[in-house]
Amino acid sequence: MSSSSPALLKEEINKTQDAEHDLAKWKLGVTAAMGAAAFGLSKDNSPSYWLLFLVPFVCAYVDLYDYQYRLRTLVIAKFLRERAGDPVLAEYEERCAKERHERVFDLGTMAGISSSIGASIFGPVFYFLIPHTGPDTLLVSPAYALVIWIVGVGLVIGVLFAGARSEEHMSELQSPCNLVC
């Protein structure tokens, strides 16, 4: 491996982590905008409650990309660990393996999962709890909206479990551990 290859791979990890952070911001922004529009915080002040039932789909979409980025980082980290020939890097990776075993690096993952589940559940539950005095803006019957919402929440949970399985399967790869600091 040429001397510039590890630097390029570390740069790729940095770019991937930046993309992960951008995805988190994007999810927050889009779900907040959907919630605001759903409750009538728009030009015409009319609620569009149907948007609440699509939030789980946005969350699942973003989470799927997030898992892909995390797996990419893990693959690059494993490659660097095995091929870079740097004893400091190898020792660092061993330390990261111990910390991963203690689940020290799961905070960001838990924040992403919590935000997806929370955003996916809060809006529709709130819709069913508030009294509706004006015309309903669901576009479909509440029963169909509920089915759409359940499918969306199921998708969020499915992405969660698929991502967790992928990460467990690749547990020996895990070690971004801020490798590029």
Side-chain angles (χ1 to χ4, degrees):
M1 178 172 2
S2 79
S3 62
S4 65
S5 296
L8 290 173
L9 291 171
K10 290 175 185 179
E11 184 179 328
E12 180 65 24
I13 289 175
N14 277 337
K15 289 179 182 178
T16 300
Q17 289 176 337
D18 287 345
E20 283 182 74
H21 296 139
D22 289 343
L23 275 174
K25 292 177 210 172
W26 186 82
K27 180 168 70 173
L28 177 64
V30 170
T31 56
M34 289 175 76
F39 290 111
L41 300 175
S42 59
K43 289 181 183 179
D44 61 0
N45 291 329
S46 64
S48 299
Y49 294 122
W50 60 273
L51 288 170
L52 296 173
F53 296 88
L54 299 180
V55 168
F57 294 95
V58 171
C59 291
Y61 177 80
V62 173
D63 290 346
L64 193 59
Y65 271 98
D66 184 55
Y67 285 128
Q68 181 219 355
Y69 285 141
R70 254 188 277 139
L71 292 175
R72 178 189 301 167
T73 300
L74 297 174
V75 168
I76 294 170
K78 180 179 182 195
F79 184 82
L80 285 171
R81 181 173 61 242
E82 292 176 350
R83 305 280 167 96
D86 183 348
V88 173
L89 180 60
E91 183 180 337
Y92 178 75
E93 290 297 328
E94 283 181 35
R95 173 60 187 237
C96 287
K98 290 176 186 174
E99 298 297 332
R100 277 192 312 279
H101 183 69
E102 298 296 321
R103 308 199 64 83
V104 170
F105 303 119
D106 289 350
L107 188 58
T109 301
M110 291 298 126
I113 291 166
S114 299
S115 68
S116 290
I117 292 173
S120 296
I121 292 174
F122 174 75
V125 167
F126 187 75
Y127 168 78
F128 285 114
L129 292 177
I130 62 171
H132 300 285
T133 56
D136 200 354
T137 63
L138 277 183
L139 302 180
V140 296
S141 75
Y144 285 134
L146 186 61
V147 168
I148 291 168
W149 175 62
I150 289 170
V151 168
V153 170
L155 188 59
V156 167
I157 292 169
V159 167
L160 163 69
F161 283 118
R165 251 191 345 263
S166 294
E167 288 185 19
E168 284 176 19
H169 177 69
M170 297 177 62
S171 64
E172 72 276 2
L173 299 177
Q174 289 185 344
S175 86
C177 190
N178 297 323
L179 180 67
V180 292
C181 292

